[in-house]
Amino acid sequence: YQFPRLKEEGEQRGHRLTSCRAKDVRFSCGKSLLLQIHNQELDSFDLIRFQSSSTHPDIWNVVASMALTMNIPCVDTRLLTKPKIQTILSEHIMTHILSLREPRSTSVYSLEEALRESKDYQYPFVVKTINSRKGRGVALISLPEDLPLFFKQHSPEEQTAILLREYIPNTG
């Protein structure tokens, strides 16, 4: 998940996510420290992604500290340089912060096992080879007879494991 997609999905569910740089942050000191991002109060957001730089580490520290006191998750993009970290963080945001549930899934290794396990799934459901890429090796199973056809199309070399996954339609 890229941040724009997370933001869009979050906003569809009533969450406020923002991405900002040091120039988007405003401080004002009166009786208490007031912090605004994009001219909005800090507490109007559910998640803040701060695109930090080595030239403004002090601003990141203030943003993170204030967000922490308000229980607002705050992420520094310096942590997001590795794709695996991006994926883990995105999944965490989607499932925990935005309260989106992860689809139920089961790994199977044979057609017989898939037929047995598929009884626990409602149609349609998704099947995919573990090594699927760019949509290849992925199918939506709408009828019971679709599952044997999927197994026929994928040779045993490809079938180290097959994943059955609950289908959650896009409601947006």
Side-chain angles (χ1 to χ4, degrees), residues 6-20:
L6 286 173
K7 186 173 185 206
E8 180 183 324
E9 290 188 32
E11 287 174 351
Q12 287 175 357
R13 289 163 177 79
H15 295 284
R16 296 285 319 267
L17 287 75
T18 191
S19 182
C20 64

Side-chain angles (χ1 to χ4, degrees), residues 23-172:
K23 67 181 176 99
D24 302 320
V25 178
R26 299 282 177 262
F27 298 99
S28 62
C29 295
K31 292 183 179 179
S32 62
L33 179 64
L34 178 66
L35 186 139
Q36 291 184 326
I37 297 174
H38 299 295
N39 298 319
Q40 295 182 51
E41 301 291 325
L42 183 68
D43 62 359
S44 65
F45 299 108
D46 296 312
L47 174 77
I48 298 165
R49 182 181 78 157
F50 190 80
Q51 298 174 352
S52 66
S53 68
S54 56
T55 56
H56 296 96
D58 51 334
I59 294 177
W60 160 248
N61 291 336
V62 172
V63 171
S65 298
M66 289 189 71
L68 181 64
T69 63
M70 302 170 105
N71 291 321
I72 301 170
C74 195
V75 179
D76 183 355
T77 56
R78 286 182 296 182
L79 302 173
L80 303 179
T81 56
K82 296 190 186 325
K84 185 162 178 89
I85 294 174
Q86 289 176 342
T87 302
I88 291 167
L89 180 68
S90 297
E91 288 173 2
H92 174 76
I93 290 168
M94 296 300 288
T95 57
H96 299 288
I97 297 169
L98 301 182
S99 302
L100 304 177
R101 68 182 184 86
E102 185 71 21
R104 183 173 55 102
S105 60
T106 307
S107 294
V108 296
Y109 297 90
S110 67
L111 175 59
E112 295 74 26
E113 190 179 6
L115 290 169
R116 187 174 59 250
E117 292 293 332
S118 69
K119 292 177 184 174
D120 294 336
Y121 286 82
Q122 185 176 13
Y123 288 92
F125 61 90
V126 176
V127 292
K128 62 182 271 183
T129 58
I130 294 297
N131 59 353
S132 62
R133 288 195 178 106
K134 297 183 180 179
R136 283 182 259 137
V138 180
L140 185 65
I141 303 297
S142 300
L143 302 167
E145 50 272 13
D146 293 343
L147 195 54
L149 292 173
F150 177 83
F151 271 80
K152 281 183 185 177
Q153 291 175 351
H154 297 87
S155 66
E157 297 83 53
E158 291 181 72
Q159 294 176 6
T160 53
I162 300 288
L163 191 67
L164 306 181
R165 179 166 269 180
E166 176 184 21
Y167 174 68
I168 300 176
N170 184 357
T171 57

